[in-house]
Amino acid sequence: MWVVLAVVVVAGLFFVRSGEKRVTVRVAEVQRSTIDQRVSTNGKVVPTVDFQAHAPTGGEVKALYVSLNDTVKAGQPLLRLSDAQARKDVAAAEAGVASAEAQLDAMKKGGTQDERIAAKGDLESAELQQRQAAGSVAALEKLQAQGAASLNEVTSAKQRLAESTVKVNQLKTRQSDRYSTGDLQTQQAAVQQAQSSLDAARAELAAVDVKAPFGGTVYAIPVSQYDFVQAGDALLDVADLNKLEVLAYFDEPDVGKLANGQPVKIVWDAKPQSVWHGHVLESPTTIITYGTRNVGECLISVDDAHGDLLPNTNVTVTVTTMQHPDVLSIPREALHSDGSSNYVYRIVGDKLVKTPVQVGLINLTLVEITGGLSTGDKVALNATSEEDLKDGLPVKVEN
């Protein structure tokens, strides 16, 4: 009877067990992997070595020697502007220098040739009057001694002699020291200013022939041959497309995660199959307003540019701000939280066991496990039905 009873009990348990409802769940295995944290944003490609030619003066584009994407060498002619206005400016500046130098030379000599001739004539006339006045004084003094001239006549003659002498001395002084040291210095400055204007005009004339300052690629030509351009208008751009940077704009909450040297991935929608790599050169030092966003400007190098990434293009940059290699990890959806406590549902036999875990780095897809699980453990992700996961729940693994 005891044997029969035992068989009945075992059979009953088996029957109950076999009739127990099991929930189908998706599971993942605890394994070792590399976990990193990243932040992404938009940015603009800027050349490190860039040359933008501007029109030195208004005029016509007489010749255009290059096309877009042409590779040029240092010193190679790129474009030529009309030089009519530049030559006119040079001629006017040369006239200004000649006039200023002539004025300075005249001042050093006491005046222009006409002024010197006139001054010489005035001096000779004054000296003649002086001699005549001296002769008149001598004659009247003799007549006074003979009683034929009065004292008043002699005094008047002496007064006229003194006045003529003063006039002669003034004319001589004016002839020898007409301009002061300050006058000469002022005119010397005027000569230097006129020479600077001439140098600038000659530089503008030389600038009508635009040449490449270094080897690179022509990536922008906003003008065409025979176009009329104003002074300062952009003519073309040349850059070394092997030396590029990205100016990226990170939202304020992400700025504190950035540091110099962090690795960066760069993608461009125009070439979705291509990926470029770089690193943070200068992390943000301040927050600015960019459209409707508060952002920090970050300068990023492009370490593997080979002419296949164009300046001024908009790109997406992803910075790896933290990385933990070879750590225990589980999918993020397997992790559950209750306040500050974290746990998972481990698969033990055919049931779920609520297991507390300690976590480290977390990103969008993975969680670092620092305690509570071992390599090879299996954890439940979710049920294939609407059933909630709970401790002790009978389950079967989805095939």
Side-chain angles (χ1 to χ4, degrees):
M1 289 179 62
W2 286 110
V3 172
V4 172
L5 183 59
V7 170
V8 170
V9 171
V10 172
L13 289 174
F14 179 79
F15 177 78
V16 172
R17 189 72 178 271
S18 61
E20 188 178 36
K21 181 182 177 182
R22 296 186 184 184
V23 176
T24 303
V25 294
R26 296 172 54 248
V27 301
E29 186 175 314
V30 179
Q31 56 188 359
R32 306 196 75 85
S33 61
T34 296
I35 300 180
D36 53 31
Q37 283 186 341
R38 303 175 182 179
V39 292
S40 297
T41 190
N42 64 300
K44 189 173 186 178
V45 178
V46 292
T48 305
V49 181
D50 186 35
F51 167 68
Q52 185 177 68
H54 294 269
T57 185
E60 181 185 23
V61 179
K62 299 294 289 185
L64 191 58
Y65 304 123
V66 293
S67 302
L68 278 176
N69 299 321
D70 280 359
T71 300
V72 297
K73 298 178 180 179
Q76 179 176 332
L78 304 175
L79 177 147
R80 179 175 174 78
L81 296 172
S82 170
D83 62 359
Q85 183 61 44
R87 290 187 180 279
K88 180 180 177 181
D89 293 342
V90 169
E94 287 175 341
V97 170
S99 176
E101 289 179 339
Q103 180 66 22
L104 178 61
D105 182 65
M107 291 174 67
K108 289 179 178 179
K109 293 177 179 178
T112 64
Q113 185 173 357
D114 286 344
E115 290 172 342
R116 293 198 302 274
I117 291 174
K120 182 179 179 181
D122 291 343
L123 179 59
E124 290 175 349
S125 177
E127 287 176 338
L128 176 61
Q129 292 177 1
Q130 183 187 39
R131 289 194 297 271
Q132 289 175 344
S136 178
V137 168
L140 287 172
E141 285 178 339
K142 288 181 180 180
L143 291 175
Q144 182 187 24
Q146 297 173 0
S150 67
L151 178 61
N152 287 338
E153 289 176 321
V154 173
T155 301
S156 296
K158 288 182 177 180
Q159 181 64 33
R160 289 193 295 274
L161 175 61
E163 290 175 353
S164 63
T165 300
V166 169
K167 185 175 182 180
V168 167
N169 291 335
Q170 288 177 340
L171 290 173
K172 286 182 177 179
T173 301
R174 185 179 180 186
Q175 224 179 18
S176 61
D177 196 17
R178 180 178 179 181
Y179 296 102
S180 67
T181 301
D183 293 334
L184 292 174
Q185 290 176 343
T186 299
Q187 188 57 35
Q188 182 64 50
V191 171
Q192 293 174 351
Q193 182 178 6
Q195 184 61 52
S196 296
S197 297
L198 177 58
D199 293 341
R202 286 173 174 169
E204 287 184 356
L205 178 59
V208 301
D209 288 302
V210 180
K211 298 180 179 180
F214 52 81
T217 301
V218 180
Y219 70 89
I221 307 178
V223 299
S224 302
Q225 190 169 356
Y226 309 124
D227 281 355
F228 186 87
V229 295
Q230 301 290 343
D233 285 354
L235 301 175
L236 51 77
D237 293 83
V238 176
D240 184 347
L241 300 188
N242 295 321
K243 298 177 181 178
L244 299 176
E245 297 172 343
V246 176
L247 186 60
Y249 305 94
F250 287 90
D251 290 323
E252 186 173 355
D254 293 329
V255 168
K257 303 173 184 177
L258 302 173
N260 294 351
Q262 290 172 334
V264 182
K265 182 178 75 171
I266 304 163
V267 295
W268 180 25
D269 289 344
K271 293 185 176 181
Q273 304 302 320
S274 299
V275 176
W276 294 267
H277 303 86
H279 61 276
V280 175
L281 282 177
E282 297 177 9
S283 55
T285 57
T286 187
I287 302 298
I288 64 171
T289 300
Y290 180 69
T292 59
R293 301 163 57 194
N294 291 328
V295 301
E297 289 185 329
C298 180
L299 191 62
I300 296 169
S301 73
V302 183
D303 297 335
D304 51 4
H306 301 295
D308 47 358
L309 188 60
L310 302 181
N312 300 323
T313 54
N314 294 309
V315 295
T316 299
V317 297
T318 302
V319 180
T320 300
T321 58
M322 190 177 296
Q323 188 174 81
H324 290 181
D326 193 30
V327 294
L328 288 181
S329 67
I330 60 172
R332 185 165 182 172
E333 58 188 311
L335 181 68
H336 302 269
S337 298
D338 183 8
S340 59
S341 300
N342 298 299
Y343 61 92
V344 298
Y345 289 108
R346 191 161 51 96
I347 307 295
V348 179
D350 55 2
K351 290 186 178 182
L352 298 184
V353 176
K354 184 178 179 180
T355 305
V357 294
Q358 291 76 51
V359 301
L361 196 61
I362 301 176
N363 62 22
L364 294 176
T365 59
L366 295 175
V367 176
E368 178 187 359
I369 299 299
T370 60
L373 294 175
S374 301
T375 303
D377 286 346
K378 292 183 178 180
V379 294
L381 301 178
N382 51 45
T384 58
S385 62
E386 296 182 357
E387 190 81 20
D388 291 333
L389 303 184
K390 57 184 178 180
D391 190 29
L393 180 68
V395 295
K396 64 178 179 178
V397 176
E398 179 184 43
N399 295 325

mmCIF file of all heavy atoms in Angstrom, residues 306-327:
data_model
loop_
_atom_site.group_PDB
_atom_site.id
_atom_site.type_symbol
_atom_site.label_atom_id
_atom_site.label_comp_id
_atom_site.label_asym_id
_atom_site.label_seq_id
_atom_site.Cartn_x
_atom_site.Cartn_y
_atom_site.Cartn_z
ATOM 1 N N HIS A 306 41.149 62.587 -46.958
ATOM 2 C CA HIS A 306 42.013 62.414 -48.131
ATOM 3 C C HIS A 306 41.367 63.040 -49.363
ATOM 4 O O HIS A 306 41.365 62.460 -50.445
ATOM 5 C CB HIS A 306 42.291 60.928 -48.375
ATOM 6 C CG HIS A 306 42.957 60.242 -47.223
ATOM 7 N ND1 HIS A 306 44.232 60.551 -46.795
ATOM 8 C CD2 HIS A 306 42.504 59.287 -46.372
ATOM 9 C CE1 HIS A 306 44.544 59.803 -45.754
ATOM 10 N NE2 HIS A 306 43.518 59.030 -45.468
ATOM 11 N N GLY A 307 40.798 64.222 -49.175
ATOM 12 C CA GLY A 307 40.166 64.924 -50.285
ATOM 13 C C GLY A 307 38.757 64.466 -50.573
ATOM 14 O O GLY A 307 38.142 64.937 -51.535
ATOM 15 N N ASP A 308 38.221 63.560 -49.754
ATOM 16 C CA ASP A 308 36.882 63.029 -50.005
ATOM 17 C C ASP A 308 35.822 63.662 -49.115
ATOM 18 O O ASP A 308 34.654 63.308 -49.177
ATOM 19 C CB ASP A 308 36.870 61.513 -49.798
ATOM 20 C CG ASP A 308 37.550 61.081 -48.500
ATOM 21 O OD1 ASP A 308 38.066 61.962 -47.779
ATOM 22 O OD2 ASP A 308 37.564 59.884 -48.206
ATOM 23 N N LEU A 309 36.210 64.615 -48.265
ATOM 24 C CA LEU A 309 35.271 65.351 -47.420
ATOM 25 C C LEU A 309 35.424 66.829 -47.749
ATOM 26 O O LEU A 309 36.529 67.366 -47.694
ATOM 27 C CB LEU A 309 35.572 65.090 -45.941
ATOM 28 C CG LEU A 309 34.572 65.624 -44.917
ATOM 29 C CD1 LEU A 309 33.194 65.018 -45.135
ATOM 30 C CD2 LEU A 309 35.061 65.339 -43.506
ATOM 31 N N LEU A 310 34.318 67.490 -48.098
ATOM 32 C CA LEU A 310 34.388 68.853 -48.620
ATOM 33 C C LEU A 310 34.181 69.898 -47.531
ATOM 34 O O LEU A 310 33.416 69.675 -46.589
ATOM 35 C CB LEU A 310 33.334 69.050 -49.712
ATOM 36 C CG LEU A 310 33.425 68.111 -50.911
ATOM 37 C CD1 LEU A 310 32.339 68.448 -51.927
ATOM 38 C CD2 LEU A 310 34.803 68.194 -51.552
ATOM 39 N N PRO A 311 34.851 71.055 -47.647
ATOM 40 C CA PRO A 311 34.636 72.140 -46.685
ATOM 41 C C PRO A 311 33.196 72.643 -46.733
ATOM 42 O O PRO A 311 32.513 72.554 -47.753
ATOM 43 C CB PRO A 311 35.614 73.222 -47.159
ATOM 44 C CG PRO A 311 36.640 72.496 -47.956
ATOM 45 C CD PRO A 311 35.916 71.361 -48.615
ATOM 46 N N ASN A 312 32.760 73.161 -45.600
ATOM 47 C CA ASN A 312 31.431 73.778 -45.437
ATOM 48 C C ASN A 312 30.282 72.776 -45.475
ATOM 49 O O ASN A 312 29.121 73.175 -45.497
ATOM 50 C CB ASN A 312 31.192 74.871 -46.480
ATOM 51 C CG ASN A 312 32.214 75.988 -46.388
ATOM 52 O OD1 ASN A 312 32.628 76.363 -45.295
ATOM 53 N ND2 ASN A 312 32.631 76.516 -47.523
ATOM 54 N N THR A 313 30.583 71.474 -45.514
ATOM 55 C CA THR A 313 29.508 70.474 -45.480
ATOM 56 C C THR A 313 29.058 70.261 -44.035
ATOM 57 O O THR A 313 29.829 70.419 -43.093
ATOM 58 C CB THR A 313 29.980 69.137 -46.069
ATOM 59 O OG1 THR A 313 31.184 68.725 -45.394
ATOM 60 C CG2 THR A 313 30.266 69.269 -47.542
ATOM 61 N N ASN A 314 27.777 69.903 -43.891
ATOM 62 C CA ASN A 314 27.219 69.612 -42.572
ATOM 63 C C ASN A 314 27.351 68.117 -42.284
ATOM 64 O O ASN A 314 26.925 67.288 -43.095
ATOM 65 C CB ASN A 314 25.755 70.038 -42.517
ATOM 66 C CG ASN A 314 25.608 71.540 -42.641
ATOM 67 O OD1 ASN A 314 26.255 72.293 -41.930
ATOM 68 N ND2 ASN A 314 24.761 71.989 -43.546
ATOM 69 N N VAL A 315 27.919 67.785 -41.164
ATOM 70 C CA VAL A 315 28.179 66.391 -40.812
ATOM 71 C C VAL A 315 27.622 66.093 -39.424
ATOM 72 O O VAL A 315 27.269 67.001 -38.667
ATOM 73 C CB VAL A 315 29.692 66.081 -40.851
ATOM 74 C CG1 VAL A 315 30.242 66.211 -42.262
ATOM 75 C CG2 VAL A 315 30.451 67.004 -39.890
ATOM 76 N N THR A 316 27.558 64.808 -39.120
ATOM 77 C CA THR A 316 27.182 64.360 -37.780
ATOM 78 C C THR A 316 28.412 63.779 -37.099
ATOM 79 O O THR A 316 29.110 62.937 -37.684
ATOM 80 C CB THR A 316 26.072 63.304 -37.842
ATOM 81 O OG1 THR A 316 24.921 63.871 -38.461
ATOM 82 C CG2 THR A 316 25.691 62.840 -36.442
ATOM 83 N N VAL A 317 28.705 64.241 -35.908
ATOM 84 C CA VAL A 317 29.871 63.755 -35.172
ATOM 85 C C VAL A 317 29.396 63.024 -33.917
ATOM 86 O O VAL A 317 28.436 63.440 -33.265
ATOM 87 C CB VAL A 317 30.837 64.894 -34.795
ATOM 88 C CG1 VAL A 317 31.392 65.552 -36.031
ATOM 89 C CG2 VAL A 317 30.142 65.936 -33.925
ATOM 90 N N THR A 318 30.079 61.925 -33.612
ATOM 91 C CA THR A 318 29.778 61.145 -32.409
ATOM 92 C C THR A 318 31.052 60.995 -31.602
ATOM 93 O O THR A 318 32.032 60.414 -32.077
ATOM 94 C CB THR A 318 29.217 59.765 -32.774
ATOM 95 O OG1 THR A 318 28.031 59.930 -33.569
ATOM 96 C CG2 THR A 318 28.873 58.985 -31.523
ATOM 97 N N VAL A 319 31.041 61.528 -30.398
ATOM 98 C CA VAL A 319 32.221 61.504 -29.530
ATOM 99 C C VAL A 319 32.057 60.392 -28.492
ATOM 100 O O VAL A 319 31.029 60.303 -27.827
ATOM 101 C CB VAL A 319 32.406 62.849 -28.810
ATOM 102 C CG1 VAL A 319 33.640 62.796 -27.900
ATOM 103 C CG2 VAL A 319 32.537 63.978 -29.814
ATOM 104 N N THR A 320 33.068 59.542 -28.387
ATOM 105 C CA THR A 320 33.084 58.524 -27.332
ATOM 106 C C THR A 320 33.655 59.169 -26.078
ATOM 107 O O THR A 320 34.851 59.440 -25.981
ATOM 108 C CB THR A 320 33.938 57.316 -27.746
ATOM 109 O OG1 THR A 320 33.384 56.732 -28.935
ATOM 110 C CG2 THR A 320 33.979 56.274 -26.653
ATOM 111 N N THR A 321 32.776 59.431 -25.110
ATOM 112 C CA THR A 321 33.187 60.167 -23.905
ATOM 113 C C THR A 321 33.728 59.246 -22.812
ATOM 114 O O THR A 321 34.440 59.690 -21.924
ATOM 115 C CB THR A 321 32.004 60.975 -23.356
ATOM 116 O OG1 THR A 321 30.918 60.080 -23.058
ATOM 117 C CG2 THR A 321 31.534 61.997 -24.380
ATOM 118 N N MET A 322 33.364 57.934 -22.861
ATOM 119 C CA MET A 322 33.838 56.982 -21.845
ATOM 120 C C MET A 322 33.776 55.581 -22.436
ATOM 121 O O MET A 322 32.867 55.275 -23.214
ATOM 122 C CB MET A 322 32.975 57.068 -20.583
ATOM 123 C CG MET A 322 33.521 56.313 -19.383
ATOM 124 S SD MET A 322 32.473 56.559 -17.909
ATOM 125 C CE MET A 322 32.676 58.329 -17.665
ATOM 126 N N GLN A 323 34.735 54.730 -22.071
ATOM 127 C CA GLN A 323 34.764 53.368 -22.608
ATOM 128 C C GLN A 323 35.338 52.398 -21.565
ATOM 129 O O GLN A 323 36.380 52.664 -20.967
ATOM 130 C CB GLN A 323 35.610 53.312 -23.879
ATOM 131 C CG GLN A 323 35.543 51.980 -24.603
ATOM 132 C CD GLN A 323 36.274 52.035 -25.930
ATOM 133 O OE1 GLN A 323 37.498 51.922 -25.959
ATOM 134 N NE2 GLN A 323 35.525 52.199 -27.015
ATOM 135 N N HIS A 324 34.600 51.261 -21.343
ATOM 136 C CA HIS A 324 35.058 50.199 -20.449
ATOM 137 C C HIS A 324 35.199 48.916 -21.272
ATOM 138 O O HIS A 324 34.201 48.298 -21.641
ATOM 139 C CB HIS A 324 34.072 49.984 -19.308
ATOM 140 C CG HIS A 324 34.039 51.094 -18.316
ATOM 141 N ND1 HIS A 324 33.237 51.097 -17.190
ATOM 142 C CD2 HIS A 324 34.736 52.266 -18.263
ATOM 143 C CE1 HIS A 324 33.441 52.201 -16.508
ATOM 144 N NE2 HIS A 324 34.334 52.940 -17.138
ATOM 145 N N PRO A 325 36.408 48.474 -21.568
ATOM 146 C CA PRO A 325 36.594 47.266 -22.370
ATOM 147 C C PRO A 325 36.533 45.985 -21.539
ATOM 148 O O PRO A 325 36.867 45.986 -20.348
ATOM 149 C CB PRO A 325 37.994 47.474 -22.964
ATOM 150 C CG PRO A 325 38.710 48.302 -21.941
ATOM 151 C CD PRO A 325 37.673 49.184 -21.308
ATOM 152 N N ASP A 326 36.094 44.909 -22.180
ATOM 153 C CA ASP A 326 36.113 43.568 -21.600
ATOM 154 C C ASP A 326 35.457 43.515 -20.221
ATOM 155 O O ASP A 326 36.077 43.120 -19.217
ATOM 156 C CB ASP A 326 37.561 43.063 -21.523
ATOM 157 C CG ASP A 326 37.622 41.558 -21.232
ATOM 158 O OD1 ASP A 326 36.680 40.848 -21.641
ATOM 159 O OD2 ASP A 326 38.582 41.122 -20.581
ATOM 160 N N VAL A 327 34.191 43.904 -20.144
ATOM 161 C CA VAL A 327 33.455 43.850 -18.888
ATOM 162 C C VAL A 327 32.205 42.983 -19.071
ATOM 163 O O VAL A 327 31.743 42.750 -20.189
ATOM 164 C CB VAL A 327 33.038 45.267 -18.428
ATOM 165 C CG1 VAL A 327 34.251 46.096 -18.087
ATOM 166 C CG2 VAL A 327 32.186 45.965 -19.493
#
